[in-house]
Amino acid sequence: MAVIIPIKDNPNHTLLIELESKMYKFWFKFNVLGNFWTMDIYSEDDVLLLAGVKMVANYPLIFANKNTILPTGDFICEISDVAASIIRDSFSSGKAKLLYLTEVELEAL
């Protein structure tokens, strides 16, 4: 089952999450000028693995950057209104969710 990653209504925050038996640190930032969220992914010991991933709706976020240091699945920002954009309060209001799906879950889509 997909893991829901909770994003706070805080324009600059970090979160430590276990995915597939490994710990990852996520740094979420909201870009006020562009009106979008980005995420950086770090290893548990603060080594940067991937930076500046723009969080767009209903699209795999890291598929183009797959390598052995990243989780094997992918992240998708699921949004209830497919015509809507992801804005500052989309996650805190419940209109959008950041999901992590394993490879098996992605194949089933």
Side-chain angles (χ1 to χ4, degrees):
M1 190 164 123
V3 175
I4 299 173
I5 299 173
I7 299 177
K8 303 173 190 170
D9 187 18
N10 176 338
N12 188 357
H13 67 280
T14 60
L15 187 63
L16 195 61
I17 298 256
E18 182 177 351
L19 300 171
E20 300 182 17
S21 302
K22 287 181 79 178
M23 295 300 290
Y24 295 92
K25 182 178 176 183
F26 292 85
W27 185 3
F28 298 103
K29 295 172 264 186
F30 186 75
N31 182 308
V32 178
L33 296 176
N35 202 30
F36 61 86
W37 284 95
T38 63
M39 75 174 177
D40 300 338
I41 304 173
Y42 291 82
S43 67
E44 184 177 17
D45 52 350
D46 286 331
V47 173
L48 180 61
L49 306 176
L50 187 61
V53 177
K54 185 176 180 181
M55 298 171 69
V56 297
N58 302 317
Y59 193 77
L61 300 179
I62 67 168
F63 78 98
N65 299 294
K66 296 307 271 180
N67 60 49
T68 58
I69 59 175
L70 290 170
T72 59
D74 210 331
F75 301 90
I76 295 178
C77 294
E78 183 180 84
I79 191 162
S80 54
D81 179 359
V82 293
S85 298
I86 295 176
I87 58 173
R88 164 96 187 251
D89 73 342
S90 293
F91 297 104
S92 62
S93 70
K95 293 177 184 172
K97 296 178 200 167
L98 177 60
L99 304 175
Y100 174 75
L101 294 115
T102 63
E103 284 182 303
V104 173
E105 292 168 328
L106 288 168
E107 289 172 7
L109 292 179

